[in-house]
Amino acid sequence: QRLRRAAENWMRFPAARERLLRMLSQSTAQGVFFVSGDVHFSELLAAKCSCSNGVHFSVGEFTSSGMTHSWKTYPALMRWAMYAAHRMLPFQYSLDKVYLGRSFGEFDFDEASMTTRAFDIHGDVVFEHVWRLDELKPAKAGKDCQCLPVRGPHPAPAVENLMIAAWVIATLLPLVALVYLVYVLTCFACRGRSHPVGAHKFDTKKDR
C-alpha cells in the first residue's frame, strides 16, 4: 500500500512516499490513482493535496484482497485484532471503507466519474465509492503542493502510542479472558476429583 501508515506499506519509507507524492504533484500526469494489494483485506484510501496556486486534488488508492485468503480466513484472535485495529488506530488515509473477507475489485468509468467497488466471494457489493474525475489530479497542479491524509494530520507520537497501547490491550483481552476461564474450569474440575460427591471425612478421634 502507498498511503497506509501501518504494516506492509510505505510507512517504513516515509521519505520515499513523500518524494513520490511530490513527484506526482509536479508532473503532468493526470487522474492519478493507485491500485495495490497483498494486505489480505480490501480498503479505500485517499490523500488531499493543496498547491500554492490554489489547485486542490485527491490521490486515491484501492486495495484488494486475494480470492484465496484474507483476514477472515485466519484464527478468531487474529481477525479480532485486525477488526479492532481499524476501529481504534489512527489510519488517517482510510476512507473507512474496509472489508476483511475474500474479495475482488471493479472500476466503472463514465465521462465524469470513476466508481470503485469491492465484491465478496458471492458477488455482493461490500463497499463502493464514486470519484469525480475533476477531483483527481489535473495535468498542471503546480510545483508547491502538500498532500495530507483525508482524515487530517496524524496525531502526535505520544497520542498515537497511547492508541496503540489501547489496541494491544483490547486485542489481548479475549485471550486473557479465555485463559482465565480455562484456569477456573480446570481448578473446579480438580477440586471435584479431590472431593467426589458423597465422600466425607471421618473423625479419627471419634472412631477410636
Side-chain angles (χ1 to χ4, degrees), residues 42 62 64-65 103-107 117-119:
S42 295
F62 184 22
S64 181
S65 78
S103 61
F104 62 93
E106 174 187 78
F107 290 82
R117 298 186 184 91
F119 298 83

Side-chain angles (χ1 to χ4, degrees), residues 7-162:
E8 304 170 272
N9 53 62
W10 278 25
M11 178 191 73
R12 304 177 189 279
F13 309 99
R17 181 178 59 185
E18 295 305 317
R19 187 166 62 249
L20 171 65
L21 292 174
R22 186 169 59 251
M23 179 191 70
L24 289 176
S25 66
Q26 296 175 1
S27 75
T28 57
Q30 188 173 359
V32 176
F33 196 89
F34 293 120
V35 180
S36 58
D38 195 32
V39 291
H40 315 305
F41 60 86
S42 295
E43 182 180 27
L44 285 175
L45 309 101
K48 293 289 186 180
C49 302
S50 301
C51 304
S52 58
N53 59 0
V55 174
H56 303 276
F57 61 92
S58 299
V59 177
E61 180 175 2
F62 184 22
T63 300
S64 181
S65 78
M67 284 294 292
T68 58
H69 56 278
S70 69
W71 279 95
K72 275 196 173 181
T73 63
Y74 296 153
L77 182 61
M78 294 179 64
R79 297 198 304 270
W80 163 247
M82 180 54 69
Y83 175 81
H86 282 283
R87 300 278 73 82
M88 300 178 66
L89 296 184
F91 293 156
Q92 300 301 93
Y93 285 101
S94 178
L95 289 172
D96 204 25
K97 295 188 177 183
V98 182
Y99 182 65
L100 300 183
R102 291 178 291 171
S103 61
F104 62 93
E106 174 187 78
F107 290 82
D108 188 7
F109 295 88
D110 60 30
E111 293 182 355
S113 65
M114 173 183 70
T115 302
T116 50
R117 298 186 184 91
F119 298 83
D120 63 17
I121 58 175
H122 304 293
D124 297 322
V125 176
V126 292
F127 66 71
E128 69 177 8
H129 186 79
V130 179
W131 309 79
R132 297 193 328 272
L133 295 183
D134 61 6
E135 75 175 306
L136 300 179
K137 183 187 175 299
K140 295 182 179 179
K143 292 187 177 181
D144 187 14
C145 301
Q146 183 181 22
C147 297
L148 294 174
V150 67
R151 295 167 67 175
H154 294 286
V159 175
E160 189 169 5
N161 289 336
L162 286 175

Side-chain angles (χ1 to χ4, degrees), residues 177-199:
L178 178 61
V179 171
Y180 179 74
L181 178 62
V182 171
Y183 170 76
V184 170
L185 292 177
T186 302
C187 290
F188 181 78
C190 292
R191 194 170 303 168
R193 286 196 298 268
S194 300
H195 304 286
V197 177

